[in-house]
Amino acid sequence: MSSIIIKSPREIELMRQAGRITAAARTVAREMVAPGVTTAQIDREVRHFIEKSGAIPTFLGYGGFPASVCLSVNDEVIHGIPGHRRLKEGDIVSVDVGATWKGYVGDCAGTYIAGEGSEEAKRLIAVTRQSFFEGIAQARAGNHVGDISHAVQTYVEKNGFGVVREYVGHGVGSEMHEAPEVPNYGPAGHGPKLVRNMTIAVEPMVTQGTWEVKVLKDGWTVKTLDGKLSAHYENTILITDGEPEILTYGEDL
């Protein structure tokens, strides 16, 4: 991976706009997660919203990915391909979406329940979301990437869940994946130092059981190895002189 790119004020403003569109697209998907809806229907509406907003669906065609949003259901961790699957009562759906505005990318994710889910599913989603906030409490200039990683892992494992290791957060900018990598596990005090005007995606991927995963034959969909549930939560953030700014801030944050 290339060197870390520190953003200019102009680039940060473009990323704010990309982030607003991306967060709103996540909300479009969240509002559609319900029993009887197909994942292809959600993808279609998200793509329409992003394009209507004057942006480009970042995921569409990225590395050959065939859709505008990753929709991962139940034991699918990430990179689920939308299709004919019809959501059922109690399914949990991880929505991961990106939008590119004037050459700059916003990237965010969230996990939602179709109808009424189990208490354990609700707890998994709540812990995954909170682990993001535990992580970004450490996202301050002068700290290290590993401080974020350690905070996420500590919170998740304290609550009895697993942290995926094979996939990590990352820098974001004019490319969806830039340096540095941002793992969700590891020791504090390690990794690159965080500096003002870095932009990174922090994205805990949390499992009900083992943290081990497998990739399906479609080459994209990642599932838990033990078939237990998984949840995903992500936002693009800006490192500042104080608290980080969430660039993909939305009503369902």
Side-chain angles (χ1 to χ4, degrees), residues 209-222:
T210 179
W211 54 263
E212 296 176 293
V213 297
K214 61 182 178 182
V215 181
L216 299 190
K217 290 180 181 177
D218 63 20
W220 284 102
T221 308
V222 177

Side-chain angles (χ1 to χ4, degrees), residues 229-251:
L229 297 177
S230 178
H232 183 197
Y233 188 81
E234 173 187 20
N235 283 296
T236 301
I237 68 168
L238 169 70
I239 304 300
T240 73
D241 289 328
E243 292 187 4
E245 177 184 345
I246 298 176
L247 299 176
T248 46
Y249 189 90
E251 64 181 60

